[in-house]
């Protein structure tokens, strides 16, 4: 068994319109990386506001966020974050294979949903994202 060592004290923003998914992700990551600080946003607009107030080491960005008003897509939000000068890691998320769209928008990596909730699998995924070289 390969021991996965995750960095301590990472600040993570998880952007997804699905509240249940956000809670599930936060709880799963809290088990895999208890020292990480996790914040949630329901849409890209909120994520862009939060980035002005907080420093995040890693942002998970869902692609499709439903809402009553016109919402930024995940890829639009990634472009906007990069345009604002956000330099840290952004990981795209979607149930559809949108890896190329996210990478083209400026994301560092992409995960196909659902994100594994099982601790070892999640640790592996997080390790791959955080420790992959730029």
């Amino acid at each position: 068994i390969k021991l996965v060592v995750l960095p301590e004290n990472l600040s993570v923003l998880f952007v997804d319109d699905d509240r249940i998914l956000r809670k599930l992700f936060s709880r799963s990551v809290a088990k895999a990386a208890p020292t990480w600080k996790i914040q949630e946003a329901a849409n890209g607009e909120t994520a862009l506001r939060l980035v002005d107030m907080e420093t995040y080491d890693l942002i998970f960005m869902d692609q499709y966020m439903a809402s009553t008003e016109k919402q930024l897509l995940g890829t639009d939000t990634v472009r906007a974050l990069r345009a604002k000068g956000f330099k840290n890691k952004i990981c795209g998320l979607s149930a559809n294979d949108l890896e190329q769209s996210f990478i083209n928008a400026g994301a560092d990596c992409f995960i196909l949903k659902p994100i594994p909730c099982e601790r070892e699998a999640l640790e592996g995924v997080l390790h791959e994202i955080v420790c992959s070289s730029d």
Side-chain angles (χ1 to χ4, degrees), residues 80-111:
L81 285 165
R82 292 304 187 208
K84 271 170 132 14
F86 184 84
K87 299 266 185 282
N88 293 338
K89 288 226 162 133
I90 300 176
C91 179
L93 292 175
S94 180
N96 307 300
D97 186 2
L98 296 170
E99 182 164 13
Q100 209 46 59
S101 307
F102 268 105
I103 301 300
N104 293 346
D108 299 284
C109 51
F110 175 80
I111 301 178

Side-chain angles (χ1 to χ4, degrees), residues 34-48:
T35 56
W36 289 15
K37 181 176 159 209
I38 300 156
Q39 279 192 290
E40 302 170 8
N43 54 50
E45 288 80 354
T46 305
L48 290 168

Side-chain angles (χ1 to χ4, degrees), residues 12-16 18-41 60 93 115-117 122 126:
V12 179
L13 178 61
F14 187 75
V15 187
D16 195 311
D18 185 330
R19 194 176 69 81
I20 293 161
L21 223 86
R22 290 198 310 268
K23 295 292 169 228
L24 193 64
F25 176 82
S26 296
R27 275 203 292 273
S28 303
V29 172
K31 284 188 196 119
T35 56
W36 289 15
K37 181 176 159 209
I38 300 156
Q39 279 192 290
E40 302 170 8
F60 287 94
L93 292 175
I115 300 170
C117 292
L122 181 61
L126 293 172

Side-chain angles (χ1 to χ4, degrees), residues 35-131:
T35 56
W36 289 15
K37 181 176 159 209
I38 300 156
Q39 279 192 290
E40 302 170 8
N43 54 50
E45 288 80 354
T46 305
L48 290 168
R49 278 197 302 278
L50 286 170
V51 166
D52 289 337
M53 301 180 280
E54 293 268 348
T55 307
Y56 297 102
D57 301 298
L58 172 60
I59 297 178
F60 287 94
M61 183 66 61
D62 186 32
Q63 174 66 349
Y64 298 109
M65 291 173 268
S67 165
T68 48
E69 66 263 27
K70 170 94 178 80
Q71 292 273 277
L72 285 171
L73 289 171
T75 44
D76 299 334
T77 310
V78 170
R79 276 190 199 90
L81 285 165
R82 292 304 187 208
K84 271 170 132 14
F86 184 84
K87 299 266 185 282
N88 293 338
K89 288 226 162 133
I90 300 176
C91 179
L93 292 175
S94 180
N96 307 300
D97 186 2
L98 296 170
E99 182 164 13
Q100 209 46 59
S101 307
F102 268 105
I103 301 300
N104 293 346
D108 299 284
C109 51
F110 175 80
I111 301 178
L112 205 53
K113 284 159 97 174
I115 300 170
C117 292
E118 191 270 313
R119 184 175 170 168
E120 272 177 33
L122 181 61
E123 280 176 358
V125 168
L126 293 172
H127 184 266
E128 211 169 284
I129 293 166
V130 175
C131 302

